[in-house]
Amino acid sequence: MTDDELLTKLDDSTRSAALHQIDALRSILDQNGSVAYLQPYLSPQDTPPDAAAFRRSVPLSTYDDYAEFINQMADTPHIHRQQPLLSVDPLLCFFYSSGTSSPRPKLIPYFDSKLSKAASFIAHQGSSAILRRLFPPRPSVNKIMWFIYADNVTTTRGGFKVMAASTYPLQSGNANWSQLSFISSPPEVILGSNVEHQMYCHLLCGLRNCDSIDAIRAPYAIGLIKVFRLLESKWEQMCNDLEHGIPSLEIADVAMRDSVVDVLGGPQPDLAKRLRTVFEGKSWSGIVSKLWPNARYVKCVATGSMQQYYPKLKQYAGEIPLLGGDYFASECCVGINLDITQPPEKTKFVLLPTAAYFEFLPFDMNETNDAGTETVDVSGVEVGKMYQVVVTTYRGFYRYHLGDIVRVVGFYNLSPEVEFVMRAPKGPGEIITEKDLMCAMQGFQLILENALAMEITEFASFLDTELSPKQLKVFAEVGEGCMLFTQEKIEDSLVVLRRCCSSIEDGLGSIYKVQRDRGEAGPLLLYVVKSGSFNRLSQVAIRNGAPASQYKPPKIIRNSEIVRLLEESSLITIT
């Protein structure tokens, strides 16, 4: 299928959205209406229920409603299973969710569904066609420095592999590495087991091929921020590696070392000298075009919790355009970004009515509970209103809270256009949202920059309900080499940080303000933690199974183990 045909097909799939949704639900129920999960809700009948009857009969669900079925599937080989639990299709493997508010990710079953493959084909291939339309392939400058990691693959007791969704094409046994020859790094780097070393080798290979790099890509903005931070700290070593044609001895993986040696192609003293001149200029603004002069774009997801990294990434990119990603979840494709050149605050996604059956639960940020208990379908959403996304998928989730809140901003053809607002609050006890926290921390950052010329590199919050009254704790990581707490600056720093506490509280939203005024929540507690603290959190999460390529630093923490690690890294606590 040509790119023009793909884009026409994509455009057609957004027309007659309501009809596509009816067809999607009918296909799902025709295929999976008899599974164990649905049996208590759907009475035996010759034809599946219509959408209204389906919504009346089947309750809204969360991951906890599927946990018993998922654990049973994970622990039991196919041959011992008596009845399809969530899908009649064969179970291929499990995906780790990318959520990182707790140390262990969820398991998302991945079934071999022809219907699902057909539904997602247009989304993925259409997205690639949009990119190629903007940046047609070039014959000579044809390498992409793509920071992808195949991640470690674990196995369940039932013998099923567990991996990141983005890892599946690389670890499924059907990987065609010849089709990935456009990536500047060899397969051994992608398949490595140490993320820091893989990142280093991705960079080293990208620098070796600097004139052939057409683009820089990563799944999420945080991944590229880590890349450039590593480059800032390791550029001298990388130049030495290029000069001698051998990667640093820190790279212990023999296969990865040997593959990088082949890419380097022997000592490169002229290239090393040229790059040193750039690095010694000590100007990181616009560094992308300085190091990779033929790069045309940088691409990653920068919406939602990734939006905080966009300004810094823009600084690194300079005049090189930053392109956004699509709205794809581990459970299903949700929406596609038709204008990937827009910044995060203007990014909107066109819902794909063929990808799943979608419902929308009204949501009001000023209410501690949902604004409504009845969902609406695609024809019932209203522009300007916010909704929690509920999906019924081809792969075993039925009226499932995806965990996201979106705002409807318009319609493309007849399909809703949505912007991602935030992850949904997990329960009525929560008193702030990710968006509240991000807005509040912008003011915090501004005060620190103006008063102390300091940078906050990462942050998160935790509501401690064991205290009476409950208390919100905010953890902020300072940049490396922070001089806030030297003997000469300590008093001035404390004054500024107390101002910061007030600024944060002022920006935390109406629910927090009401509960503070009533005395139901105590004063904010601010922890300033050491540089590298959040990186250690990522290492813990990855050791526990979180995908390195999909890891997102948590903004709302819901696990005491993570809190304990951050509290142990505290430089100072302010209330």
Side-chain angles (χ1 to χ4, degrees):
M1 196 179 292
T2 67
D3 282 356
D4 285 342
E5 289 171 332
L6 279 168
L7 294 173
T8 299
K9 186 80 172 174
L10 182 65
D11 191 68
D12 289 344
S13 72
T14 63
R15 299 180 188 275
S16 302
L19 291 177
H20 281 308
Q21 283 284 273
I22 292 171
D23 289 342
L25 181 61
R26 183 181 296 121
S27 297
I28 292 167
L29 296 180
D30 276 341
Q31 180 79 353
N32 291 328
S34 62
V35 299
Y37 177 84
L38 288 176
Q39 277 192 346
Y41 313 116
L42 300 180
S43 58
Q45 49 192 6
D46 294 332
T47 58
D50 61 24
F54 172 73
R55 294 204 299 266
R56 285 195 305 268
S57 304
V58 180
L60 295 172
S61 62
T62 66
Y63 183 83
D64 289 343
D65 296 304
Y66 300 87
E68 183 178 344
F69 292 103
I70 289 173
N71 291 337
Q72 187 177 339
M73 289 189 295
D75 292 343
T76 310
H78 274 308
I79 56 174
H80 296 145
R81 197 168 302 139
Q82 301 298 314
Q83 176 191 13
L85 300 178
L86 298 178
S87 172
V88 299
D89 293 310
L91 177 63
L92 294 178
C93 65
F94 291 92
F95 293 152
Y96 284 124
S97 67
S98 59
T100 50
S101 59
S102 59
R104 295 191 180 277
K106 301 169 185 173
L107 295 183
I108 307 297
Y110 181 66
F111 297 98
D112 189 12
S113 166
K114 292 181 180 178
L115 292 171
S116 182
K117 288 177 182 177
S120 62
F121 174 83
I122 293 300
H124 289 280
Q125 296 303 313
S127 177
S128 297
I130 290 170
L131 180 61
R132 287 190 293 267
R133 183 177 61 184
L134 284 172
F135 298 98
R138 296 184 289 183
S140 56
V141 184
N142 54 9
K143 293 287 186 181
I144 294 179
M145 188 164 60
W146 203 332
F147 292 88
I148 54 174
Y149 312 94
D151 298 307
N152 293 328
V153 176
T154 59
T155 304
T156 70
R157 284 196 290 182
F160 297 99
K161 291 182 177 180
V162 186
M163 64 190 79
S166 58
T167 291
Y168 182 75
L170 308 172
Q171 294 280 23
S172 64
N174 300 317
N176 187 342
W177 290 100
S178 64
Q179 293 182 350
L180 300 175
S181 59
F182 62 88
I183 298 176
S184 59
S185 302
E188 291 82 0
V189 172
I190 297 169
L191 293 168
S193 58
N194 184 302
V195 177
E196 292 291 325
H197 292 176
Q198 290 169 277
M199 193 183 299
Y200 184 96
C201 289
H202 273 311
L203 271 169
L204 193 57
C205 294
L207 290 171
R208 172 62 184 91
N209 294 288
C210 58
D211 293 326
S212 300
I213 297 298
D214 182 50
I216 301 172
R217 297 188 63 171
Y220 295 106
I222 180 59
L224 289 182
I225 291 295
K226 288 184 175 181
V227 163
F228 286 112
R229 286 175 183 166
L230 181 67
L231 186 60
E232 286 192 55
S233 64
K234 298 283 188 179
W235 67 263
E236 291 179 278
Q237 179 62 56
M238 290 180 186
C239 287
N240 289 337
D241 293 351
L242 288 167
E243 186 173 14
H244 296 97
I246 301 174
S248 166
L249 292 176
E250 292 179 9
I251 311 302
D253 185 314
V254 175
M256 188 156 61
R257 280 185 63 83
D258 290 347
S259 69
V260 174
V261 167
D262 289 342
V263 171
L264 296 182
Q268 305 293 328
D270 292 342
L271 176 60
K273 182 179 179 181
R274 171 181 144 194
L275 294 175
R276 276 198 187 97
T277 301
V278 173
F279 288 123
E280 287 170 351
K282 297 182 179 180
S283 173
W284 289 90
S285 180
I287 193 67
V288 169
S289 58
K290 296 173 187 175
L291 296 176
W292 298 282
N294 294 312
R296 289 187 291 177
Y297 64 88
V298 176
K299 190 173 191 300
C300 61
V301 171
T303 46
S305 63
M306 294 294 109
Q307 189 168 339
Q308 71 169 100
Y309 309 108
Y310 185 82
K312 187 67 175 178
L313 202 53
K314 187 67 178 169
Q315 182 183 348
Y316 286 128
E319 296 301 315
I320 303 296
L322 289 182
L323 306 184
D326 299 295
Y327 187 177
F328 295 163
S330 300
E331 295 84 356
C332 66
C333 301
V334 180
I336 193 163
N337 185 351
L338 294 180
D339 188 356
I340 54 178
T341 63
Q342 291 294 333
E345 66 274 12
K346 294 183 179 179
T347 296
K348 56 188 178 183
F349 306 98
V350 177
L351 194 81
L352 291 173
T354 58
Y357 177 67
F358 296 99
E359 300 173 60
F360 301 87
L361 186 65
F363 179 83
D364 186 340
M365 278 201 283
N366 293 320
E367 299 290 335
T368 55
N369 297 311
D370 294 330
T373 56
E374 297 294 328
T375 61
V376 296
D377 61 17
V378 293
S379 61
V381 297
E382 298 180 42
V383 173
K385 290 191 175 180
M386 289 190 291
Y387 301 90
Q388 295 196 51
V389 182
V390 175
V391 296
T392 295
T393 74
Y394 292 95
R395 289 195 169 110
F397 287 97
Y398 307 96
R399 306 202 71 205
Y400 175 78
H401 274 280
L402 198 59
D404 295 341
I405 292 173
V406 299
R407 180 185 287 106
V408 177
V409 294
F411 289 87
Y412 177 82
N413 294 334
L414 293 174
S415 191
E417 292 178 308
V418 301
E419 63 175 3
F420 184 90
V421 176
M422 61 185 173
R423 296 293 292 172
K426 296 295 183 182
E430 295 197 351
I431 57 178
I432 67 165
T433 66
E434 284 185 358
K435 188 170 185 178
D436 290 333
L437 182 63
M438 291 171 67
C439 291
M441 296 306 285
Q442 287 176 356
F444 177 27
Q445 178 69 60
L446 192 61
I447 293 173
L448 275 190
E449 287 178 352
N450 291 337
L452 299 170
M454 284 307 305
E455 179 182 21
I456 295 297
T457 58
E458 197 55 82
F459 58 84
S461 71
F462 172 73
L463 182 62
D464 194 335
T465 56
E466 293 186 0
L467 298 176
S468 182
K470 60 190 174 187
Q471 190 170 32
L472 188 69
K473 297 178 178 180
V474 172
F475 300 91
E477 180 181 310
V478 293
E480 193 171 356
C482 174
M483 302 298 288
L484 278 177
F485 310 117
T486 59
Q487 193 64 40
E488 302 81 32
K489 289 192 173 183
I490 186 66
E491 291 301 325
D492 291 341
S493 299
L494 290 174
V495 170
V496 171
L497 288 171
R498 289 190 181 99
R499 278 174 50 207
C500 288
C501 276
S502 298
S503 172
I504 294 172
E505 287 204 297
D506 289 344
L508 284 176
S510 58
I511 299 174
Y512 179 83
K513 186 177 187 304
V514 167
Q515 296 207 11
R516 280 285 286 121
D517 290 345
R518 291 175 180 170
E520 297 170 9
L524 177 78
L525 201 57
L526 173 65
Y527 291 82
V528 179
V529 299
K530 299 173 186 175
S531 176
S533 297
F534 279 81
N535 193 46
R536 285 190 286 277
L537 288 189
S538 72
Q539 293 168 359
V540 170
I542 291 167
R543 281 199 301 269
N544 287 333
S549 54
Q550 294 182 204
Y551 177 79
K552 306 170 191 172
K555 292 293 171 281
I556 306 293
I557 301 172
R558 301 181 180 93
N559 185 277
S560 55
E561 180 184 342
I562 293 177
V563 173
R564 179 180 55 79
L565 291 171
L566 288 174
E567 287 180 339
E568 289 174 355
S569 298
S570 177
L571 291 169
I572 193 169
T573 305
I574 302 290
T575 187

